[in-house]
Amino acid sequence: MDALRAQDPPRIGDYVLLARIGAGGMGVVYLGRSPGGRLVAVKVVREEITGHPEALARFRREAATVRAVRSAYTANLIDAGLDAAPYWIATEYVAGPTLARAVRERGPFPVVTCRRLVAAMAEGLASVHAYGVTHRDLKPQNVLLGSQGPQLIDFGIARGVEQTALTQDGQAPGTPGFTAPEVLTRNEVGAAADVFALGATVAYAATGRAPFGGGDAAAVSYRAVHEEIDTAGVEPGLAALIRACVEKDPARRPGPAELIRWCAVDTALVDDPAYQPLVAMAEVVPDTPQRPPNAAVLAIHDLPTQGPPPSPPPPPSRPNPWLVAAGVGAVVGIAVATAVWLLPGNGGEGGGKPDGPPGYIQDIGTSRHAWNGLRESCNLPGEEQPPLQFQYAVTTGENDPTGEIPPGKAEIGYRLKYEEPNLPPYYVSVEVKPPHLLDTDEFGYVSKAADLYEGDETQWKNLVYPDDFSDRAGGKVRPAPPLADDPGEWTVVYHHATSDKNHRSVVCHGFTADTVSE
């Protein structure tokens, strides 16, 4: 839970905002307090996408779904504002960590706890399915471990079972590694797809590992369709239960009721001695609004699992994965790839095993990206999909309220939102193109490549422009020019490099630099 920032409103509807809980696919989630003192979670759509028809339709669908599904395993809808911006919904506040955080910080669950978790989540799915709704994005990040049991959250892409799986732009719903094969290959969404996701989620709880391995989204989804789930080291009976849930043929998967019988639990999950300490991981709730005096004035940018255009989290030295100053200096996005690319290697050309740690990437005639600050977009997308949960950020000195970044400089960072252990090196090099190069194919100024997975990949890896950038053409090293030398729209491109001459862009964004005195 993070403090409010300067741009956050003091209240939404009748609710006083106390802190930031985190982020959803389309906006910020706040902790709020009702006039009578009740705590609520208030999800607010970011202003930039309020005119995006699909985004608003998705948000209203989420509100309708949460309103319709009244279950002990979901946070009930309390209030909503859907007629005019800002659009928001308020649900019950559930104190407790996500399943992802609990495993990440405390390690895999015991076998008995996993069986009780399966039974509780299966009962929750049965309750949701009884309303004719499929969740479609069940995963460890969308399961809260509350004092009354696990709660399913984030119904942003939930729909009736008769509705199509794909969005208007053709992307499959869900998250790679937790999305069922029939959704990826045939666009079939049904209750069995949620059971597949349940099995993958419990596999993560039992092992602490990604159920179908790590890497880019295309590779993970390929394994989900064609290979077996990772149950190495799992107790045989529990491993068999998990494998039954993730059968490739949805008709062969057990239903929620069968799973509950299979688990044969005689004690509630909330009474499990291993579960109770996890509930105690709930963050402390502030009594009064938490807002630091020098908070940044930011706006939101994110690339969600599926849905509206990108939206940014905060600057890298103040890591909350949602906020950024739109069109001026700070830009952050979460690139969460969805997958209908099912052939090995798709989306990863230029990838593969590194030829050794790259140094400074060289111009190979592919530098055609150009940022348009007015439209807040690049003229070209990335050449390959970024790693799952890749985040990036840019903050200029003129827009850094902390004063940590000097005027005339920019801090450029990247990280993974969640840890991806035991993955091979993935080298990232950042290219910065000044405005005078935007109409050319000429290469910009580059940073030395660094392994995304080295050390703690959830911590921001920060670079300073121009200090950490240079032009390496022709074997000569030329320092990068100051921002003040070329005011206007600057382009920032994140490259995946397997060698100095083998690299592909994964994310393009940019920022505006004004004339400043250094």
Side-chain angles (χ1 to χ4, degrees), residues 4-21:
L4 298 170
R5 298 184 180 270
Q7 86 284 3
D8 291 331
R11 62 192 308 124
I12 290 289
D14 292 330
Y15 304 94
V16 174
L17 302 186
L18 302 175
R20 285 173 167 267
I21 294 174

Side-chain angles (χ1 to χ4, degrees), residues 128-189:
V128 171
H129 294 168
Y131 289 90
V133 171
T134 54
H135 188 285
R136 305 205 310 167
D137 199 19
L138 178 60
K139 56 186 176 182
Q141 294 90 337
N142 284 343
V143 178
L144 283 175
L145 305 181
S147 59
Q148 302 301 312
Q151 301 277 302
L152 305 179
I153 62 170
D154 197 353
F155 283 80
I157 61 175
R159 295 193 182 187
V161 295
E162 77 284 351
Q163 293 175 287
T164 178
L166 294 187
T167 62
Q168 289 181 341
D169 60 5
Q171 293 181 326
T175 300
F178 299 89
T179 303
E182 69 272 16
V183 178
L184 294 167
T185 60
R186 300 189 299 276
N187 308 331
E188 293 179 2
V189 170

Side-chain angles (χ1 to χ4, degrees), residues 28-391:
V28 181
V29 182
Y30 298 101
L31 176 67
R33 187 179 60 228
S34 73
R38 183 178 188 178
L39 293 176
V40 297
V42 184
K43 186 173 184 177
V44 184
V45 173
R46 62 186 176 89
E47 185 178 352
E48 296 94 310
I49 67 169
T50 54
H52 193 284
E54 172 61 20
L56 275 184
R58 175 182 169 185
F59 190 69
R60 286 181 170 130
R61 185 169 64 243
E62 178 175 8
T65 301
V66 177
R67 178 181 286 115
V69 177
R70 310 292 292 185
S71 168
Y73 296 93
T74 62
N76 292 326
L77 184 74
I78 294 174
D79 200 354
L82 302 174
D83 296 329
Y87 300 96
W88 56 275
I89 58 175
T91 62
E92 292 176 306
Y93 171 67
V94 180
T98 65
L99 176 58
R101 179 188 161 208
V103 173
R104 188 167 64 247
E105 296 184 11
R106 300 293 177 89
F109 291 5
V111 173
V112 173
T113 307
C114 284
R115 289 183 178 276
R116 290 169 178 157
L117 177 67
V118 172
M121 290 175 60
E123 190 169 272
L125 285 182
S127 176
V128 171
H129 294 168
Y131 289 90
V133 171
T134 54
H135 188 285
R136 305 205 310 167
D137 199 19
L138 178 60
K139 56 186 176 182
Q141 294 90 337
N142 284 343
V143 178
L144 283 175
L145 305 181
S147 59
Q148 302 301 312
Q151 301 277 302
L152 305 179
I153 62 170
D154 197 353
F155 283 80
I157 61 175
R159 295 193 182 187
V161 295
E162 77 284 351
Q163 293 175 287
T164 178
L166 294 187
T167 62
Q168 289 181 341
D169 60 5
Q171 293 181 326
T175 300
F178 299 89
T179 303
E182 69 272 16
V183 178
L184 294 167
T185 60
R186 300 189 299 276
N187 308 331
E188 293 179 2
V189 170
D194 281 348
V195 171
F196 180 96
L198 185 155
T201 297
V202 174
Y204 173 81
T207 66
R209 301 186 297 268
F212 290 95
D216 62 37
V220 173
S221 291
Y222 179 87
R223 291 193 289 269
V225 172
H226 299 289
E227 299 179 8
E228 296 302 315
I229 194 167
D230 177 8
T231 55
V234 178
E235 184 270 330
L238 179 60
L241 186 155
I242 291 171
R243 289 194 295 270
C245 289
V246 298
E247 280 277 359
K248 306 304 182 188
D249 180 359
R252 293 173 59 87
R253 294 175 204 148
E258 184 178 351
L259 284 174
I260 294 170
R261 291 193 297 271
W262 190 335
C263 292
V265 299
D266 56 4
T267 304
L269 179 62
V270 294
D271 295 325
D272 187 293
Y275 183 83
Q276 293 169 343
L278 302 179
V279 177
M281 294 171 63
E283 297 182 89
V284 177
V285 174
D287 295 324
T288 58
Q290 303 297 295
R291 191 187 301 271
N294 296 319
V297 179
L298 304 171
I300 302 169
H301 187 100
D302 181 35
L303 286 170
T305 301
Q306 66 114 27
S311 71
S317 51
R318 291 150 295 281
N320 175 324
W322 257 90
L323 301 194
V324 141
V328 281
V331 187
V332 182
I334 304 174
V336 182
T338 55
V340 283
W341 305 274
L342 298 176
L343 297 177
N346 281 11
E349 297 175 25
K353 294 182 179 179
D355 304 330
Y360 291 86
I361 60 174
Q362 300 177 25
D363 187 359
I364 55 175
T366 60
S367 185
R368 303 183 183 91
H369 296 284
W371 166 254
N372 185 311
L374 186 63
R375 292 199 303 268
E376 295 191 357
S377 64
C378 285
N379 62 332
L380 293 175
E383 297 169 294
E384 71 171 71
Q385 294 293 327
L388 195 66
Q389 302 292 352
F390 182 77
Q391 294 182 312

